[in-house]
Amino acid sequence: MEHASLKIDGSPAKVLLDPLALPLWNEAFLSIDGPQTPEVGVRYELRVRPGLNGWLEYTEITPSRIEMTWHVPGFRERGLWLLEDGLVTHSFEHAGPLAAVLRSAYRGIAAVRLERLQQRLLVVP
């Protein structure tokens, strides 16, 4: 499991709960299609680099915890975002044969995602 924490000002939940804008700050995602307002259990059509199609689903949404899962052939990620007094902790775990091949490419990515989330908050007031 990969994880990192970062003190982030603003409302990270606002960005995390804008599913159609996830590709604007998560470079793995090329496009997401589905409802603007996320609901637990609703699947979004997802296209990721290098052009694989799959789905993304929020599995938990609370004021202090946002969990989502995404899946493309051979790869599944379960990601968790903990929001506590300005400290955001992101962790994720991967499964599948493609995940095994890409394991080294995902080292340090939790910290990168937190930095991109912070940068996105500068654009979205």
Side-chain angles (χ1 to χ4, degrees):
M1 180 178 280
E2 176 86 18
H3 70 279
S5 296
L6 182 65
K7 188 85 168 159
I8 295 180
D9 294 325
S11 178
K14 183 176 183 178
V15 172
L16 293 167
L17 295 175
D18 186 357
L20 303 183
L22 291 174
L24 297 175
W25 61 275
N26 186 330
E27 293 181 358
F29 299 155
L30 294 173
S31 66
I32 296 178
D33 189 31
Q36 179 66 46
T37 303
E39 286 185 43
V40 171
V42 173
R43 285 199 174 173
Y44 289 78
E45 292 180 32
L46 176 66
R47 187 166 178 83
V48 302
R49 293 187 198 287
L52 298 172
N53 293 317
W55 52 265
L56 177 140
E57 178 181 334
Y58 287 85
T59 54
E60 185 173 352
I61 300 172
T62 71
S64 63
R65 182 182 176 103
I66 299 170
E67 187 174 322
M68 48 181 105
T69 299
W70 60 277
H71 175 85
V72 295
F75 187 98
R76 180 181 174 124
E77 177 178 300
R78 179 181 162 267
L80 174 63
W81 301 84
L82 298 176
L83 315 170
E84 298 173 354
D85 298 323
L87 182 67
V88 180
T89 300
H90 175 48
S91 60
F92 62 85
E93 58 187 1
H94 292 153
L98 183 57
V101 171
L102 296 174
R103 187 175 325 268
S104 65
Y106 276 89
R107 284 194 191 110
I109 291 298
V112 170
R113 289 179 182 171
L114 286 167
E115 291 168 9
R116 289 181 183 153
L117 173 63
Q118 185 175 45
Q119 291 300 311
R120 181 69 185 154
L121 279 167
L122 297 175
V123 176
V124 178

